[in-house]
Amino acid sequence: ILNVEQSPQSLHVQEGDSTNFTCSFPSSNFYALHWYRWETAKSPEALFVMTLNGDEKKKGRISATLNTKEGYSYLYIKGSQPEDSATYLCAFSGGSNYKLTFGKGTLLTVNP
Amino acid sequence: DAGVIQSPRHEVTEMGQEVTLRCKPISGHDYLFWYRQTMMRGLELLIYFNNNVPIDDSGMPEDRFSAKMPNASFSTLKIQPSEPRDSAVYFCASSLSQTNEKLFFGSGTQLSVL
């Protein structure tokens, strides 16, 4: 069983704050790391797929970094807006079978 | 493309009944995945197909669960007989590859077994 841990479980911030959260995964046999955004009553939507150590990806105010040697990825949101409120999921692929294993997510609430 | 299409959106059934969930992947995607979302366990992979062939069904909870993909544009997940503990949201997703291409999720089926 591959453990993909996300922290914190939930987070409340004020509009305009910048925030970040963490995804930890096994550092051996890494293949890919995904980030998804999941709004209430909708389905998860992909933000980033990263495959190389040191990868940095950016989409608007959201960016992500990847450290495969130590087994973590950070997701950053700059200047949070209420519409950023969602659950942010990471998913790790690696190990012996390369299946995508999801973390339980970080629930972000941005207060206006 | 309309995206991944799942039906029904909601299903309420009684314990012991057969339940069939349906999925149409995005055209051209070679991989199709069935996931189950619960509060306790998060998103769990049940089974995935590559080019209509089941590759890994180790996540299927027990023999009451079965999945088929008779062609590139259609898959079913069947639960027979259903039990209250099967209540969850079931997602279908498709992608161009197993792991390093993003997954596209359907809207999910909210299943309630009474």
Side-chain angles (χ1 to χ4, degrees), chain B residues 2 32 38 64 84 103:
Chain B
L32 183 140
T38 61
R64 298 184 297 106
L103 267 60

Side-chain angles (χ1 to χ4, degrees), chain B residues 55-77:
Chain B
I55 301 301
D56 188 332
D57 65 355
S58 58
M60 296 284 261
E62 46 199 274
D63 292 345
R64 298 184 297 106
F65 285 68
S66 62
K68 293 182 180 179
M69 192 165 185
N71 57 61
S73 58
F74 183 65
S75 177
T76 58
L77 178 68

Side-chain angles (χ1 to χ4, degrees), chain A residues 30-88:
Chain A
F30 173 86
Y31 194 73
L33 193 285
H34 296 219
W35 280 101
Y36 290 82
R37 173 189 148 90
W38 192 357
E39 291 182 68
T40 303
K42 295 187 178 180
S43 49
E45 290 186 0
L47 290 171
F48 308 114
V49 178
M50 296 184 286
T51 56
L52 297 176
N53 183 43
D55 260 355
E56 292 188 24
K57 299 245 176 165
K58 188 175 181 183
K59 186 176 182 178
R61 294 179 291 100
I62 304 177
S63 59
T65 61
L66 178 66
N67 183 325
T68 62
K69 295 188 188 306
E70 295 180 42
Y72 65 84
S73 175
Y74 292 138
L75 189 79
Y76 300 91
I77 302 179
K78 185 177 177 182
S80 302
Q81 300 296 309
E83 57 264 31
D84 295 329
S85 298
T87 296
Y88 291 83

Side-chain angles (χ1 to χ4, degrees), chain B:
Chain B
D1 201 315
V4 177
I5 299 173
Q6 287 188 249
S7 65
R9 288 294 301 269
H10 303 274
E11 176 81 29
V12 181
T13 191
E14 292 187 346
M15 183 172 65
Q17 296 298 306
E18 178 180 294
V19 175
T20 300
L21 311 181
R22 297 172 176 79
C23 175
K24 181 182 188 313
I26 292 173
S27 177
H29 281 189
D30 293 331
Y31 287 84
L32 183 140
F33 305 84
W34 282 101
Y35 283 90
R36 179 170 67 176
Q37 165 72 16
T38 61
M39 289 293 291
M40 287 292 293
R41 299 169 73 93
L43 262 175
E44 296 177 277
L45 178 64
L46 300 177
I47 184 171
Y48 78 91
F49 296 82
N50 178 24
N51 292 322
N52 314 338
V53 176
I55 301 301
D56 188 332
D57 65 355
S58 58
M60 296 284 261
E62 46 199 274
D63 292 345
R64 298 184 297 106
F65 285 68
S66 62
K68 293 182 180 179
M69 192 165 185
N71 57 61
S73 58
F74 183 65
S75 177
T76 58
L77 178 68
K78 187 176 291 187
I79 308 173
Q80 166 64 21
S82 58
E83 296 182 2
R85 61 193 167 118
D86 301 331
S87 299
V89 180
Y90 290 81
F91 285 101
C92 174
S94 70
S95 76
L96 290 169
S97 83
Q98 180 187 357
T99 56
N100 62 353
E101 294 282 344
K102 57 185 177 181
L103 267 60
F104 292 81
F105 284 84
S107 53
T109 295
Q110 173 76 59
L111 173 65
S112 298
V113 183
L114 307 176

